[in-house]
Amino acid sequence: MEAGAVLRIGELSKRSGVSPELLRAWERRYGLLQPTRSPGGLRLYSLDDLERVRMMRQHLASGLAAAEAAALLSRAAPGEAARVPGASPDEARAELAEALDNFDEPRAQSLLDTQLAALSVDAVLTDVLLPYLSELGERWERGEASVAQEHFASSVLRGRLLGLGRGWGLGLGPLALLACLPGEQHELGLIAFGLAIRARGWRIGYLGSDTPVETVERAARALSTQLIVLSAVTPERVRAAAAELRPVAASHRLALGGRGAAEELADGVGALALTGDPVVEAERVTSSHGPLVS
Amino acid sequence: MEAGAVLRIGELSKRSGVSPELLRAWERRYGLLQPTRSPGGLRLYSLDDLERVRMMRQHLASGLAAAEAAALLSRAAPGEAARVPGASPDEARAELAEALDNFDEPRAQSLLDTQLAALSVDAVLTDVLLPYLSELGERWERGEASVAQEHFASSVLRGRLLGLGRGWGLGLGPLALLACLPGEQHELGLIAFGLAIRARGWRIGYLGSDTPVETVERAARALSTQLIVLSAVTPERVRAAAAELRPVAASHRLALGGRGAAEELADGVGALALTGDPVVEAERVTSSHGPLVS
Amino acid sequence: MEAGAVLRIGELSKRSGVSPELLRAWERRYGLLQPTRSPGGLRLYSLDDLERVRMMRQHLASGLAAAEAAALLSRAAPGEAARVPGASPDEARAELAEALDNFDEPRAQSLLDTQLAALSVDAVLTDVLLPYLSELGERWERGEASVAQEHFASSVLRGRLLGLGRGWGLGLGPLALLACLPGEQHELGLIAFGLAIRARGWRIGYLGSDTPVETVERAARALSTQLIVLSAVTPERVRAAAAELRPVAASHRLALGGRGAAEELADGVGALALTGDPVVEAERVTSSHGPLVS
DNA sequence: ATAGGTTTTGTCAAGCTTTTGTACAT
DNA sequence: ATGTACAAAAGCTTGACAAAACCTAT
């Protein structure tokens, strides 16, 4: 007998927010649930069934049709956790941190080789490099990492990421122009973002650190640019450039990235704020590119 | 059934920003998508299809006409992600194989460029070139690769690897003298080994294919050599040279590499056998040698 | 079918700035382009064709008659992309300048690929990159190069050079610690120097731009450093750091590089001045150091 | 450069089917 | 609880159409 068969259909309905009629219809049509029966024939559901119904509702809310939602649940049910093993990204990050802390460039390179061979660029960025960078930032703020370590790690990673970006100006996709705001030296997040949208078919024009706004504007005109992304780690840099940025935002699609790009600041100049993980934001920017075009 | 066939046309339309009518038109006219069908005939799309539609829109936005945009997608379809440098080494190797099989040298060079930009020389050797070479060898034994193909691939790769090794005689490190045994023409593994120990700080003296033992010995004396590495693909070559090799091994540190270098044979002449992957063996040789120098 | 036949005449016209009528006329009169056709008869152009039209316009702008310009292009026609590898360094530099001025990263990369395949790193630095950099600097001072161009070129080259330096921490040789003085952002000459001494068997620890002297010192102690090289483009940066530098020079072998490193200034702090071409200075430093080790 | 014809492509409509939540009778 | 019914919403196919872009030839 089913272990936790404790809910009658009325109770399941209340907890899940789905009418009893509909629950029966789902059972008949898609075999979504297979409740045990009481001696008198009443349906008895388990808590797993409740979870199943909730998943069903989630899928419906996300736009799937009932038949497909149910099919997804049936398929996913048996093999819940079929994850790829491989060296865990956490271990990789820890090893990377150790290598860079000890100024051991070859070892860091070799670790990155391994990771890049096993995973996509996206995955390495998301699971290894970006977490490592924020970790480094935090340690640095707490005074646990020396300036030397921070400089060394940045240089190694910058070279590596720029190497991955080789040829990113090539192709047919829309062009994104990337630069750091005046005074800003931290390029890594920006380069990561560039790699992520490169992987999504965009072309990249990269101007590097500490770039005058007027410079960006001129390059944008020269290159029929679809998107400009400017990055800054501190809000001050954004504020300092705000007046110059407004006209840019008027004539181009402009986004501000990096920890310095608060929502209000970006709104203030008519730009999109990219405050999160570069890979996530890349996904957002590229998929939201749609409506603008139609 | 298709794995991720979960979206009906309305939802695909919402997520992609393309009207259902147009989606159907693209399917009819260009075969852009080939959705599976529900039992009742409704189209069911996967998330990959969504990505495809987004790419289509990008191309349209960049000015291409629909027919051409669709044609591009059909052509690029299988390897869309393959354009990204970090693409898996397996894919890279397959593409390299294809390029070389078709005598397409520029493409092969460009693939190598990309790989070398993304990975270290060590990694490219280990994950791409050396596997490719053994694959080629096997195909050749099975009669699946023509002599012309094998020659072409060898000469392209030899040129490229020697290019990477340019200047490898320069510097302060210990010197390794590399040569193929008399009669032996296969240099690639030996060059790969040279690159690997060069990256570890050694200097290389390279004598090339089919080198008389006496020639090697004379060069070794002239150059204050720390290590001699001789390579052969078949054991016969080693046996044939054994008598001559013994005195060399007495006066220098001598290693025998390549598939022809069986452990017993090497022992027999007092040499070290390097039977494995060139990069691994390079690591072994240099780390065992390290203490002597530092 | 032609691989990259993706542009219809209207789009080609937009991208090239030449009217469709004129494009057709050029085709009829000079056979400038030979587009493939769609099933319905529309002309389909490749990206190479676009390049061709741009060249045509350049020739016209420079005063050539249309017929001559077209004839020129026809002769160069087949292999515009498949350039002659043996192009002289001067040509290579000019082409590199043109590519970078036009924000054409892929072309710049491909030029560098070709050069690096044909020459050693030393030679490419000496004959192509370093001359290009000083040329760029001069044009910049005369106001002939925009900030955008300078930024773009720097970013591309920096990424490329750092890519060449990948793994330069590996090996057995003596270690050189490289960094820019506080406030200094120009890294290219320093990286070039790093590559040059790397080719001579040294190991490199690279700390990047704008590095506090104290940071350098701490890293130097952590790494058993044989040589410290600090770089600055303006003498002010050296003067500003002079007091801090003296003790460093007392405990390590210290060199100052870049145009900011005048002989007297370096003498004043007890450092060696590297005022010349990075490759030449690398040779000087390594040969003077050689005897100590060998 | 213009004129007159063709191709391409996004959109719409008509008529019919499938899907799905809810309602009702047994 | 079960089984059937039903109507709204969403899809399907075929066919057609008009604006935009292109073609050739004058």
Side-chain angles (χ1 to χ4, degrees), chain C residues 182-195:
Chain C
E184 181 58 54
Q185 303 297 339
H186 294 80
E187 310 175 56
L188 288 172
L190 186 62
I191 303 178
F193 178 83
L195 290 173

Side-chain angles (χ1 to χ4, degrees), chain B residues 8-11 24 28-29 37 41-43:
Chain B
R8 302 231 251 235
I9 200 168
E11 182 63 16
R24 284 191 284 256
R28 180 167 19 104
R29 291 173 181 160
R37 300 285 185 139
L42 302 195
R43 274 166 251 255

Side-chain angles (χ1 to χ4, degrees), chain A residues 9 24 28 37 42-43:
Chain A
I9 199 168
R24 283 192 282 261
R28 178 165 23 97
R37 298 291 183 137
L42 300 190
R43 272 167 252 254

Side-chain angles (χ1 to χ4, degrees), chain A residues 33-72:
Chain A
L33 301 176
Q34 301 188 341
T36 56
R37 298 291 183 137
S38 78
L42 300 190
R43 272 167 252 254
L44 296 177
Y45 298 94
S46 72
L47 290 176
D48 280 356
D49 288 332
L50 173 58
E51 198 45 44
R52 230 170 145 69
V53 176
R54 286 192 175 138
M55 292 289 291
M56 183 80 182
R57 289 198 56 182
Q58 268 190 7
H59 284 149
L60 289 183
S62 81
L64 298 199
E68 278 68 59
L72 257 187

Side-chain angles (χ1 to χ4, degrees), chain B residues 101-115:
Chain B
D101 282 355
N102 295 323
F103 304 101
D104 186 347
E105 200 224 330
R107 184 160 149 64
Q109 296 287 9
S110 142
L111 281 167
L112 290 171
D113 285 341
T114 326
Q115 288 298 310

Side-chain angles (χ1 to χ4, degrees), chain A residues 212-242:
Chain A
V213 173
E214 195 245 332
T215 298
V216 174
E217 201 171 7
R218 198 176 309 179
R221 269 199 301 271
L223 288 172
S224 82
T225 301
Q226 255 97 344
L227 171 69
I228 300 178
V229 181
L230 300 179
S231 165
V233 166
T234 53
E236 287 76 41
R237 304 219 192 283
V238 180
R239 264 190 284 271

Side-chain angles (χ1 to χ4, degrees), chain C residues 121-122 125-126 130 192-193 196 200 276-284:
Chain C
V121 175
D122 265 19
L125 287 174
T126 306
L130 296 171
F193 178 83
R200 285 158 181 79
D277 175 306
V279 176
V280 174
E281 298 294 16
E283 183 61 35
R284 187 154 69 96

Side-chain angles (χ1 to χ4, degrees), chain A residues 105 151 158 166-167 169 207 209, chain C residues 105 113 151 158 167 169 207 209:
Chain A
E105 188 241 343
H151 264 245
R158 197 161 35 118
R166 156 105 72 106
L207 296 178
S209 64
Chain C
E105 186 246 3
D113 283 342
H151 264 245
R158 197 164 32 119
L207 296 178
S209 65

